[in-house]
Amino acid sequence: MLVVVISTVLVFAVVTVRLFVWPAQGMPARVSAIVMLAGPGDRPPVALRLAEEHRAKVLVISRDWSGHSGSCAPPMAGVKLICFYPDPENTRGEAEFTGRLAKKYHWTSVVLVTSTAQDTRARVLVGRCFNGSVYVVTVPLAAADWPYQIAYQWGALIKALIVHRGC
């Protein structure tokens, strides 16, 4: 019995680390759009750096009412800036909006700027609303945020996989 408990805890820990702490990430030299999701972590500098490097012609910034995303970015030469408030006010709302924009502008790929903890769930949700390639560039979280984020992301991922299965 003890072996089963230890094995279960070990598997859970490995899956947690792979999904929320060290998910696969990276992006090609250019994508159709950079999409910064709202949430904890210092996301704007990363999204702005990618836009300044002209990794995409479009920068999309999700703003939320909790204050995580701050203000919209200043105009940038050669980059179309789109700021929005997701509806619903969550990653699913961001994924739905991204899907609508992708269809409107004929995008073939996007890079999501988010935290490592949100990476897996964001890929799943955006992938349901967008048929192109989805890449992720992450920002770190403060050590104090990790316990809450791991618990939250497990619950939100299970909800996304079981309850909200469509776009």
Side-chain angles (χ1 to χ4, degrees):
M1 179 65 175
L2 182 60
V3 171
V4 171
V5 170
I6 291 172
S7 296
T8 302
V9 169
L10 185 59
V11 167
F12 180 78
V14 168
V15 171
T16 297
V17 167
R18 175 64 179 95
L19 292 177
F20 307 122
V21 181
W22 289 308
Q25 59 177 304
M27 66 176 287
R30 294 201 33 90
V31 292
S32 300
I34 300 159
V35 180
M36 186 188 87
L37 304 178
D42 199 12
R43 301 169 190 215
V46 174
L48 292 173
R49 178 182 49 81
L50 292 172
E52 288 167 354
E53 293 172 354
H54 297 287
R55 303 288 294 269
K57 292 182 179 180
V58 181
L59 172 58
V60 180
I61 296 180
S62 174
R63 301 176 70 194
D64 68 4
W65 289 271
S66 66
H68 285 302
S69 62
S71 62
C72 195
M76 199 175 303
V79 177
K80 179 178 180 66
L81 179 62
I82 301 170
C83 293
F84 73 102
Y85 288 100
D87 182 22
E89 298 175 39
N90 54 31
T91 309
R92 186 169 49 96
E94 293 169 327
E96 291 170 358
F97 189 79
T98 299
R100 288 192 300 273
L101 287 176
K103 187 173 185 175
K104 178 179 179 179
Y105 294 109
H106 309 286
W107 295 343
T108 58
S109 59
V110 297
V111 63
L112 307 176
V113 177
T114 187
S115 69
T116 50
Q118 188 185 24
D119 178 309
T120 300
R121 185 168 54 90
R123 283 178 198 266
V124 168
L125 294 172
V126 172
R128 290 179 180 164
C129 299
F130 171 59
N131 291 328
S133 299
V134 178
Y135 304 97
V136 178
V137 172
T138 61
V139 300
L141 291 173
D145 291 340
W146 277 106
Y148 170 79
Q149 282 298 317
I150 287 173
Y152 177 84
Q153 295 301 336
W154 263 117
L157 180 60
I158 290 167
K159 181 179 174 184
L161 294 173
I162 296 172
V163 178
H164 295 292
R165 298 193 44 86
C167 175

